[in-house]
């Protein structure tokens, strides 16, 4: 924050840096708590009969501190390049070839804290893996 105000000193105190409005910066208080994140669809153990399977992946994420900045996925341990920054957090029409896949969702808040969901296993033309909590 800059001291001395601005806008012809309508702001008697400090001015928030990013928006230059009166008051402390929106992120002036530390946020040590990570967001919560879980995969709400597909269900763990889902099997798709035909490849390629176009899967809609839905993620629930929330943060009581500064809010959720972004949500992304990893599939079989490889982080995917697509982020979702607006609720509802959805990755629609993800194409999966024949095989067994483990999906993990991640959420980052505006304080830089990152959380990881429990893993969800799906199968395409074969049995789904059954990952435990936190596997990725």
């Amino acid at each position: 924050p800059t001291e001395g105000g601005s806008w012809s000193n309508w702001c008697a105190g400090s001015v928030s840096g990013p928006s230059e409005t009166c008051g402390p910066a929106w992120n002036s208080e530390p946020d040590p708590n990570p967001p919560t994140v879980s995969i709400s669809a597909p269900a763990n153990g889902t099997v798709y009969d035909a490849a390629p399977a176009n899967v809609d992946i839905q993620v629930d994420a929330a943060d009581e501190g500064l809010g959720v900045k972004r949500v992304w996925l990893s599939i079989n341990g490889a982080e995917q390049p697509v982020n979702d920054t607006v609720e509802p957090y959805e990755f629609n029409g993800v194409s999966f070839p024949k095989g067994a896949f483990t999906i993990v969702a991640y959420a980052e808040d505006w304080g830089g804290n990152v959380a990881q969901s429990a893993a969800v296993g799906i199968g395409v033309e074969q049995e789904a893996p059954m990952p435990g909590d936190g596997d990725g």
Side-chain angles (χ1 to χ4, degrees):
T2 53
E3 295 301 321
S6 78
W7 296 357
S8 300
N9 267 342
W10 292 347
C11 298
S14 63
V15 175
S16 164
S19 64
E20 296 187 359
T21 59
C22 299
W26 64 272
N27 62 349
S28 62
E29 294 293 320
D31 178 12
N33 300 315
T36 59
V37 60
S38 62
I39 298 173
S40 55
N44 192 29
T46 300
V47 175
Y48 298 89
D49 294 333
N54 291 320
V55 179
D56 294 338
I57 302 170
Q58 299 172 352
V59 177
D60 293 326
D63 183 70
E64 291 187 22
L66 299 174
V68 174
K69 179 179 179 181
R70 66 185 181 121
V71 172
W72 71 97
L73 304 172
S74 73
I75 299 172
N76 287 352
E79 287 194 20
Q80 303 304 298
V82 177
N83 294 302
D84 193 347
T85 59
V86 179
E87 285 187 86
Y89 303 107
E90 299 175 321
F91 302 87
N92 293 321
V94 179
S95 183
F96 288 88
K98 180 178 179 180
F101 303 94
T102 301
I103 307 166
V104 175
Y106 297 87
E108 179 182 14
D109 67 17
W110 286 98
N113 303 303
V114 176
Q116 173 181 328
S117 75
V120 168
I122 65 168
V124 179
E125 294 185 16
Q126 68 183 58
E127 190 174 320
M130 297 304 285
D133 286 353
D135 289 348

